[in-house]
Amino acid sequence: MALVMPTPSHAGSRSQAREMFSGHRFQEAPLGIVLVDCSRQIVGTPSFLDELIRIVLVDGEALGLLLDNASERIKTNAERCARNRGVQDRLQVVVRPPPRFRGRFRR
Amino acid sequence: VLLLAEGALNADRFDRVLRPTRGGLEIDLSATTFVDPYGLVGICCLCAVARRSRVPVRVLPPVRRDVANYLARMGLAEALGQLGLSITLAPVRARALPTVLLPLQHFDRERVLDELSQLLHSAVGSEPATDLVLEALWELGVNAVEHSHAVGLVAAQTYRRGCRGSRIELVVGDGGIGLRQSLQGRHFVLDDLEAIRMAQGYLVTSLADEGRGQGLAVTREETLTHGGEFMVRSGSGLERSSSGGLRRRETVPNIPGTIIRVSLPCM
Protein backbone atom coordinates (compact mmCIF):
# COMPACT_ATOMS: atom_id res chain seq x y z
CA MET A 1 0.00 0.00 0.00
CA ALA A 2 1.32 3.45 -0.91
CA LEU A 3 0.35 6.38 1.27
CA VAL A 4 0.73 9.96 0.01
CA MET A 5 0.91 12.73 2.61
CA PRO A 6 1.47 16.49 2.32
CA THR A 7 3.52 18.25 5.02
CA PRO A 8 2.72 21.54 6.73
CA SER A 9 4.64 24.48 5.20
CA HIS A 10 6.24 25.29 8.56
CA ALA A 11 6.95 21.84 9.98
CA GLY A 12 8.90 22.39 13.15
CA SER A 13 7.66 20.11 15.90
CA ARG A 14 7.27 16.42 16.62
CA SER A 15 3.58 16.84 17.31
CA GLN A 16 3.05 18.05 13.72
CA ALA A 17 4.53 14.78 12.46
CA ARG A 18 2.29 12.81 14.82
CA GLU A 19 -0.77 14.75 13.62
CA MET A 20 -0.03 13.74 10.02
CA PHE A 21 -0.54 10.09 10.95
CA SER A 22 -3.06 10.51 13.75
CA GLY A 23 -5.82 8.61 11.93
CA HIS A 24 -3.64 5.73 10.78
CA ARG A 25 -3.60 2.38 12.60
CA PHE A 26 -0.38 0.69 11.63
CA GLN A 27 -1.35 -2.73 13.04
CA GLU A 28 -4.48 -2.93 10.86
CA ALA A 29 -3.02 -1.47 7.68
CA PRO A 30 0.76 -1.89 7.55
CA LEU A 31 2.59 0.79 5.64
CA GLY A 32 4.15 0.02 2.27
CA ILE A 33 5.80 3.00 0.66
CA VAL A 34 5.01 6.36 2.21
CA LEU A 35 5.39 9.33 -0.12
CA VAL A 36 5.56 12.69 1.61
CA ASP A 37 5.02 15.72 -0.60
CA CYS A 38 7.38 18.46 0.60
CA SER A 39 6.75 20.85 -2.31
CA ARG A 40 5.15 23.50 -0.08
CA GLN A 41 7.45 22.93 2.86
CA ILE A 42 9.51 25.94 3.92
CA VAL A 43 10.78 24.69 7.28
CA GLY A 44 11.59 21.07 8.15
CA THR A 45 13.40 20.86 11.45
CA PRO A 46 15.48 17.89 12.59
CA SER A 47 12.88 17.22 15.31
CA PHE A 48 9.97 17.09 12.86
CA LEU A 49 11.87 14.86 10.43
CA ASP A 50 13.14 12.57 13.19
CA GLU A 51 9.59 12.03 14.42
CA LEU A 52 8.38 11.41 10.85
CA ILE A 53 11.11 8.81 10.35
CA ARG A 54 10.40 7.20 13.72
CA ILE A 55 6.67 6.91 13.00
CA VAL A 56 7.02 5.63 9.42
CA LEU A 57 10.22 3.60 9.33
CA VAL A 58 10.83 2.55 12.95
CA ASP A 59 7.40 2.09 14.55
CA GLY A 60 5.42 1.73 11.29
CA GLU A 61 8.05 -0.58 9.72
CA ALA A 62 7.21 0.82 6.28
CA LEU A 63 9.07 -0.54 3.25
CA GLY A 64 10.25 2.95 2.40
CA LEU A 65 9.83 6.67 2.96
CA LEU A 66 10.13 8.99 -0.02
CA LEU A 67 10.40 12.72 0.61
CA ASP A 68 9.49 14.28 -2.71
CA ASN A 69 10.25 17.86 -3.78
CA ALA A 70 12.30 18.52 -0.66
CA SER A 71 14.81 21.33 -0.19
CA GLU A 72 18.52 20.61 0.23
CA ARG A 73 18.22 21.44 3.95
CA ILE A 74 15.39 18.98 4.44
CA LYS A 75 17.46 16.32 2.65
CA THR A 76 20.45 16.96 4.91
CA ASN A 77 18.34 16.92 8.08
CA ALA A 78 16.34 13.83 7.07
CA GLU A 79 19.41 11.80 6.12
CA ARG A 80 21.08 12.65 9.42
CA CYS A 81 17.99 11.53 11.37
CA ALA A 82 17.72 8.31 9.37
CA ARG A 83 21.39 7.50 10.04
CA ASN A 84 20.88 8.10 13.78
CA ARG A 85 18.05 5.58 13.76
CA GLY A 86 19.78 3.11 11.44
CA VAL A 87 17.11 3.20 8.73
CA GLN A 88 18.92 5.19 6.03
CA ASP A 89 18.54 2.34 3.51
CA ARG A 90 14.75 2.83 3.47
CA LEU A 91 14.80 6.63 3.07
CA GLN A 92 14.90 8.36 -0.29
CA VAL A 93 14.86 12.13 -0.76
CA VAL A 94 14.16 13.79 -4.10
CA VAL A 95 15.38 17.38 -4.08
CA ARG A 96 13.34 20.03 -5.84
CA PRO A 97 15.11 22.24 -8.37
CA PRO A 98 16.30 25.59 -6.98
CA PRO A 99 14.02 28.60 -7.64
CA ARG A 100 14.69 30.36 -10.95
CA PHE A 101 16.66 33.57 -10.78
CA ARG A 102 14.29 36.47 -11.42
CA GLY A 103 16.63 39.43 -10.85
CA ARG A 104 18.56 41.44 -13.40
CA PHE A 105 22.03 40.35 -14.40
CA ARG A 106 24.69 42.98 -13.92
CA ARG A 107 26.64 43.76 -17.10
CA VAL B 1 18.56 42.62 41.52
CA LEU B 2 19.26 46.01 40.02
CA LEU B 3 19.67 46.09 36.26
CA LEU B 4 21.41 49.42 35.85
CA ALA B 5 21.82 49.62 32.12
CA GLU B 6 24.18 52.53 31.52
CA GLY B 7 25.29 52.44 27.90
CA ALA B 8 24.44 49.38 25.85
CA LEU B 9 22.15 46.62 27.10
CA ASN B 10 23.10 43.83 24.75
CA ALA B 11 24.39 40.27 24.73
CA ASP B 12 27.93 41.39 25.54
CA ARG B 13 27.06 43.61 28.51
CA PHE B 14 23.87 42.15 30.01
CA ASP B 15 25.52 40.38 32.92
CA ARG B 16 27.93 43.23 33.64
CA VAL B 17 25.10 45.65 34.44
CA LEU B 18 23.40 43.43 37.03
CA ARG B 19 23.90 44.50 40.66
CA PRO B 20 22.63 42.75 43.78
CA THR B 21 20.20 44.83 45.82
CA ARG B 22 17.64 44.28 48.54
CA GLY B 23 13.94 44.71 48.24
CA GLY B 24 13.05 43.64 44.74
CA LEU B 25 13.92 44.02 41.08
CA GLU B 26 14.67 47.43 39.61
CA ILE B 27 15.37 47.84 35.91
CA ASP B 28 16.83 51.27 35.30
CA LEU B 29 16.99 52.06 31.60
CA SER B 30 17.28 55.84 32.07
CA ALA B 31 20.93 55.95 30.92
CA THR B 32 20.61 53.23 28.30
CA THR B 33 21.97 54.11 24.87
CA PHE B 34 21.40 50.87 22.96
CA VAL B 35 19.31 47.70 23.38
CA ASP B 36 19.30 44.52 21.32
CA PRO B 37 16.91 41.51 21.28
CA TYR B 38 19.04 39.72 23.88
CA GLY B 39 18.68 42.68 26.27
CA LEU B 40 14.92 42.77 25.71
CA VAL B 41 14.42 39.05 26.29
CA GLY B 42 16.72 39.28 29.32
CA ILE B 43 14.62 42.09 30.85
CA CYS B 44 11.41 40.11 30.37
CA CYS B 45 12.91 36.89 31.77
CA LEU B 46 14.09 38.76 34.89
CA CYS B 47 10.62 40.30 35.28
CA ALA B 48 8.87 36.94 34.77
CA VAL B 49 11.00 35.33 37.48
CA ALA B 50 10.41 38.26 39.85
CA ARG B 51 6.64 38.20 39.28
CA ARG B 52 6.50 34.46 39.89
CA SER B 53 8.46 34.94 43.13
CA ARG B 54 6.14 37.83 44.12
CA VAL B 55 9.08 40.22 44.23
CA PRO B 56 8.24 43.92 43.62
CA VAL B 57 9.40 45.18 40.22
CA ARG B 58 10.12 48.74 39.08
CA VAL B 59 11.03 49.60 35.49
CA LEU B 60 12.39 53.08 34.69
CA PRO B 61 12.08 54.07 31.02
CA PRO B 62 14.97 55.37 28.91
CA VAL B 63 15.58 59.10 28.55
CA ARG B 64 16.90 58.89 24.99
CA ARG B 65 14.15 59.14 22.41
CA ASP B 66 15.74 56.71 19.94
CA VAL B 67 16.03 54.01 22.61
CA ALA B 68 12.44 54.60 23.76
CA ASN B 69 11.26 54.35 20.13
CA TYR B 70 13.12 51.08 19.67
CA LEU B 71 11.61 49.62 22.85
CA ALA B 72 8.15 50.73 21.68
CA ARG B 73 8.63 49.15 18.25
CA MET B 74 9.88 45.94 19.84
CA GLY B 75 6.76 45.71 22.02
CA LEU B 76 8.41 45.94 25.44
CA ALA B 77 5.42 47.70 26.99
CA GLU B 78 3.03 45.00 25.73
CA ALA B 79 5.34 42.16 26.84
CA LEU B 80 5.69 43.65 30.33
CA GLY B 81 1.93 44.30 30.37
CA GLN B 82 1.35 40.56 29.97
CA LEU B 83 3.37 40.11 33.16
CA GLY B 84 1.25 42.69 34.97
CA LEU B 85 3.97 45.38 34.77
CA SER B 86 4.09 48.73 33.04
CA ILE B 87 6.61 51.03 31.39
CA THR B 88 5.71 54.40 29.93
CA LEU B 89 6.82 54.70 26.30
CA ALA B 90 5.51 57.30 23.89
CA PRO B 91 3.77 55.73 20.87
CA VAL B 92 5.77 55.61 17.63
CA ARG B 93 4.59 56.17 14.08
CA ALA B 94 4.58 53.08 11.89
CA ARG B 95 7.06 53.55 9.03
CA ALA B 96 9.24 51.46 6.78
CA LEU B 97 12.53 50.59 8.47
CA PRO B 98 15.80 49.43 6.92
CA THR B 99 15.76 46.46 9.31
CA VAL B 100 13.23 43.74 10.05
CA LEU B 101 12.00 43.60 13.64
CA LEU B 102 10.17 40.67 15.19
CA PRO B 103 8.79 42.27 18.37
CA LEU B 104 8.92 40.52 21.73
CA GLN B 105 6.36 37.75 21.95
CA HIS B 106 5.34 35.43 24.75
CA PHE B 107 4.58 31.87 23.68
CA ASP B 108 3.32 28.88 25.58
CA ARG B 109 2.22 26.59 22.75
CA GLU B 110 3.34 25.47 19.33
CA ARG B 111 0.55 27.27 17.51
CA VAL B 112 2.12 30.60 18.46
CA LEU B 113 5.47 29.38 17.12
CA ASP B 114 3.77 28.49 13.83
CA GLU B 115 2.39 32.02 13.55
CA LEU B 116 5.78 33.54 14.43
CA SER B 117 7.55 31.31 11.90
CA GLN B 118 5.19 32.43 9.12
CA LEU B 119 5.49 36.06 10.19
CA LEU B 120 9.28 35.95 10.23
CA HIS B 121 9.44 34.13 6.89
CA SER B 122 7.18 36.67 5.20
CA ALA B 123 9.38 39.48 6.57
CA VAL B 124 12.84 38.12 5.81
CA GLY B 125 12.19 35.78 2.86
CA SER B 126 14.14 32.62 2.14
CA GLU B 127 17.92 32.29 2.08
CA PRO B 128 20.24 29.87 3.90
CA ALA B 129 20.61 32.12 6.97
CA THR B 130 16.92 32.86 7.40
CA ASP B 131 15.97 29.21 6.81
CA LEU B 132 18.34 28.31 9.65
CA VAL B 133 16.83 30.98 11.88
CA LEU B 134 13.34 29.59 11.27
CA GLU B 135 14.58 26.12 12.22
CA ALA B 136 16.21 27.60 15.33
CA LEU B 137 12.97 29.36 16.28
CA TRP B 138 11.13 26.04 16.19
CA GLU B 139 13.78 23.93 17.90
CA LEU B 140 14.49 26.40 20.70
CA GLY B 141 10.83 27.39 21.04
CA VAL B 142 9.55 23.83 21.35
CA ASN B 143 12.31 23.09 23.88
CA ALA B 144 11.10 26.04 25.97
CA VAL B 145 7.47 24.88 25.75
CA GLU B 146 8.29 21.26 26.62
CA HIS B 147 11.06 21.61 29.18
CA SER B 148 11.15 25.04 30.84
CA HIS B 149 7.92 24.86 32.88
CA ALA B 150 7.43 28.56 32.05
CA VAL B 151 6.21 30.80 29.27
CA GLY B 152 8.77 31.40 26.52
CA LEU B 153 9.87 34.71 25.01
CA VAL B 154 11.23 35.43 21.57
CA ALA B 155 12.51 38.46 19.64
CA ALA B 156 14.45 38.81 16.39
CA GLN B 157 16.03 41.51 14.30
CA THR B 158 18.10 41.98 11.18
CA TYR B 159 21.09 44.33 11.11
CA ARG B 160 22.10 45.91 7.81
CA ARG B 161 25.78 46.46 7.10
CA GLY B 162 26.78 47.15 10.70
CA CYS B 163 30.32 46.79 11.99
CA ARG B 164 29.97 42.99 11.64
CA GLY B 165 28.18 43.05 8.26
CA SER B 166 24.53 42.22 7.63
CA ARG B 167 23.17 39.62 9.99
CA ILE B 168 20.03 38.23 11.53
CA GLU B 169 19.71 37.66 15.24
CA LEU B 170 17.18 35.48 17.07
CA VAL B 171 16.84 35.25 20.85
CA VAL B 172 14.63 32.71 22.64
CA GLY B 173 14.37 32.71 26.42
CA ASP B 174 12.34 31.66 29.42
CA GLY B 175 12.36 32.20 33.15
CA GLY B 176 11.87 28.50 33.86
CA ILE B 177 13.79 25.71 35.55
CA GLY B 178 16.95 25.93 33.42
CA LEU B 179 18.98 23.26 31.65
CA ARG B 180 20.56 21.85 34.80
CA GLN B 181 17.31 20.95 36.54
CA SER B 182 15.81 19.77 33.27
CA LEU B 183 18.64 17.30 32.61
CA GLN B 184 19.13 16.21 36.23
CA GLY B 185 16.31 13.67 36.05
CA ARG B 186 18.34 11.41 33.73
CA HIS B 187 21.94 12.66 34.00
CA PHE B 188 24.45 13.62 36.66
CA VAL B 189 25.04 17.33 36.14
CA LEU B 190 27.75 19.06 38.14
CA ASP B 191 26.75 22.70 37.57
CA ASP B 192 25.11 25.06 35.08
CA LEU B 193 28.16 25.23 32.81
CA GLU B 194 28.24 21.44 32.65
CA ALA B 195 24.50 21.43 31.87
CA ILE B 196 25.05 23.86 28.99
CA ARG B 197 27.87 21.72 27.60
CA MET B 198 25.78 18.54 27.87
CA ALA B 199 22.62 20.09 26.39
CA GLN B 200 24.54 21.11 23.27
CA GLY B 201 25.68 17.52 22.71
CA TYR B 202 23.94 15.09 20.36
CA LEU B 203 21.17 12.88 21.73
CA VAL B 204 21.38 14.28 25.27
CA THR B 205 17.84 14.62 26.58
CA SER B 206 15.77 14.58 29.73
CA LEU B 207 13.29 12.24 28.01
CA ALA B 208 13.28 8.46 27.82
CA ASP B 209 12.81 8.31 24.05
CA GLU B 210 16.06 7.49 22.26
CA GLY B 211 16.68 9.71 19.27
CA ARG B 212 15.57 12.85 21.08
CA GLY B 213 17.99 15.61 22.03
CA GLN B 214 19.36 16.76 18.70
CA GLY B 215 17.57 20.08 18.12
CA LEU B 216 19.91 22.24 20.19
CA ALA B 217 22.99 20.38 18.95
CA VAL B 218 22.04 20.72 15.28
CA THR B 219 21.07 24.38 15.71
CA ARG B 220 24.45 25.17 17.27
CA GLU B 221 26.42 23.17 14.73
CA GLU B 222 24.63 24.68 11.72
CA THR B 223 24.95 28.21 13.15
CA LEU B 224 28.70 27.81 13.51
CA THR B 225 29.08 26.09 10.14
CA HIS B 226 27.43 29.08 8.48
CA GLY B 227 29.77 31.57 10.15
CA GLY B 228 27.45 32.58 12.98
CA GLU B 229 27.59 32.92 16.76
CA PHE B 230 25.74 30.78 19.29
CA MET B 231 25.25 31.78 22.91
CA VAL B 232 23.54 29.92 25.76
CA ARG B 233 22.90 31.39 29.21
CA SER B 234 21.30 29.15 31.81
CA GLY B 235 21.27 29.70 35.58
CA SER B 236 24.76 30.88 36.45
CA GLY B 237 26.45 29.60 33.31
CA LEU B 238 27.15 31.28 29.98
CA GLU B 239 28.77 29.83 26.90
CA ARG B 240 29.57 31.65 23.65
CA SER B 241 30.64 29.80 20.52
CA SER B 242 31.59 31.21 17.17
CA SER B 243 32.77 29.81 13.88
CA GLY B 244 36.45 28.98 13.87
CA GLY B 245 36.16 26.83 16.99
CA LEU B 246 36.12 29.63 19.56
CA ARG B 247 34.29 28.56 22.72
CA ARG B 248 34.23 30.74 25.85
CA ARG B 249 32.61 29.78 29.13
CA GLU B 250 32.04 31.98 32.15
CA THR B 251 30.12 32.09 35.39
CA VAL B 252 27.52 34.86 35.56
CA PRO B 253 24.96 36.07 38.15
CA ASN B 254 22.35 33.37 38.67
CA ILE B 255 19.06 34.00 36.88
CA PRO B 256 16.57 31.10 36.68
CA GLY B 257 15.80 29.97 33.15
CA THR B 258 17.60 29.86 29.83
CA ILE B 259 18.32 32.42 27.11
CA ILE B 260 19.73 31.34 23.75
CA ARG B 261 20.96 33.68 21.03
CA VAL B 262 21.59 32.75 17.41
CA SER B 263 23.32 35.30 15.19
CA LEU B 264 23.97 34.56 11.51
CA PRO B 265 25.43 36.56 8.64
CA CYS B 266 22.81 37.13 5.95
CA MET B 267 22.43 38.82 2.58
Side-chain angles (χ1 to χ4, degrees):
Chain A
M1 187 182 107
L3 189 64
V4 183
M5 311 284 290
T7 58
S9 58
H10 291 250
S13 69
R14 290 176 184 273
S15 61
Q16 286 173 304
R18 289 193 287 269
E19 275 170 30
M20 283 173 61
F21 294 89
S22 59
H24 195 90
R25 296 183 181 180
F26 298 121
Q27 293 83 1
E28 294 171 17
L31 294 166
I33 302 291
V34 176
L35 192 154
V36 175
D37 177 11
C38 304
S39 56
R40 294 183 59 206
Q41 195 170 1
I42 295 162
V43 184
T45 62
S47 293
F48 169 82
L49 293 163
D50 181 66
E51 191 69 9
L52 185 68
I53 286 164
R54 187 184 71 79
I55 292 168
V56 174
L57 295 179
V58 180
D59 294 352
E61 297 178 348
L63 294 175
L65 171 63
L66 173 63
L67 303 183
D68 193 22
N69 264 309
S71 65
E72 279 288 351
R73 277 230 31 91
I74 290 171
K75 180 176 192 277
T76 306
N77 287 339
E79 287 177 346
R80 183 196 286 123
C81 295
R83 275 197 306 276
N84 285 342
R85 293 197 177 266
V87 292
Q88 64 270 34
D89 54 326
R90 285 185 286 146
L91 173 72
Q92 191 178 349
V93 186
V94 178
V95 176
R96 62 181 171 231
R100 288 175 64 184
F101 180 69
R102 290 171 190 270
R104 284 186 299 177
F105 287 101
R106 189 173 290 191
R107 289 171 187 243
Chain B
V1 170
L2 170 66
L3 181 71
L4 185 64
E6 290 175 344
L9 180 61
N10 57 13
D12 294 332
R13 294 191 74 243
F14 185 82
D15 289 300
R16 290 189 225 156
V17 294
L18 294 173
R19 309 265 186 278
T21 56
R22 289 183 181 178
L25 169 67
E26 182 171 304
I27 294 174
D28 184 356
L29 303 173
S30 57
T32 304
T33 57
F34 177 82
V35 186
D36 73 356
Y38 186 92
L40 287 168
V41 171
I43 289 172
C44 288
C45 287
L46 272 172
C47 289
V49 172
R51 293 295 287 170
R52 200 174 58 236
S53 313
R54 299 179 190 280
V55 169
V57 180
R58 196 162 78 113
V59 186
L60 300 176
V63 171
R64 281 177 60 145
R65 186 67 186 268
D66 58 340
V67 177
N69 285 352
Y70 174 77
L71 298 184
R73 287 187 204 284
M74 289 298 280
L76 181 64
E78 291 81 0
L80 291 179
Q82 289 188 40
L83 297 170
L85 301 169
S86 66
I87 180 171
T88 308
L89 297 169
V92 284
R93 275 183 305 160
R95 64 179 175 90
L97 295 170
T99 59
V100 173
L101 305 178
L102 180 70
L104 270 169
Q105 300 276 343
H106 291 267
F107 62 89
D108 59 356
R109 65 195 72 171
E110 289 175 11
R111 182 170 295 183
V112 182
L113 289 174
D114 193 29
E115 291 167 8
L116 291 173
S117 182
Q118 295 186 32
L119 191 68
L120 194 54
H121 179 256
S122 64
V124 296
S126 204
E127 62 158 293
T130 55
D131 291 351
L132 278 178
V133 164
L134 293 177
E135 276 184 29
L137 168 68
W138 274 102
E139 293 290 6
L140 305 178
V142 171
N143 275 352
V145 170
E146 286 186 349
H147 302 290
S148 75
H149 300 199
V151 172
L153 281 149
V154 62
Q157 180 175 351
T158 59
Y159 294 87
R160 294 287 169 211
R161 297 192 181 92
C163 54
R164 290 141 78 185
S166 296
R167 63 195 168 94
I168 182 165
E169 187 170 313
L170 170 82
V171 180
V172 178
D174 63 76
I177 61 172
L179 295 174
R180 183 180 179 187
Q181 194 177 328
S182 178
L183 290 174
Q184 257 173 347
R186 294 187 62 82
H187 304 274
F188 173 73
V189 188
L190 189 64
D191 56 21
D192 288 317
L193 280 173
E194 175 76 356
I196 292 170
R197 188 192 62 77
M198 289 174 72
Q200 294 179 109
Y202 270 94
L203 306 178
V204 177
T205 177
S206 60
L207 303 167
D209 181 15
E210 288 180 15
R212 300 288 299 259
Q214 47 179 320
L216 192 59
V218 173
T219 303
R220 178 181 178 276
E221 185 185 298
E222 293 289 332
T223 301
L224 301 184
T225 302
H226 288 78
E229 297 169 8
F230 194 74
M231 178 173 162
V232 184
R233 186 201 201 286
S234 187
S236 61
L238 174 73
E239 184 177 303
R240 296 166 199 266
S241 316
S242 54
S243 53
L246 292 172
R247 199 167 186 173
R248 204 173 82 213
R249 297 190 181 119
E250 57 188 294
T251 302
V252 289
N254 185 29
I255 300 174
T258 304
I259 306 176
I260 301 178
R261 172 179 169 265
V262 174
S263 177
L264 277 157
C266 66
M267 286 195 257

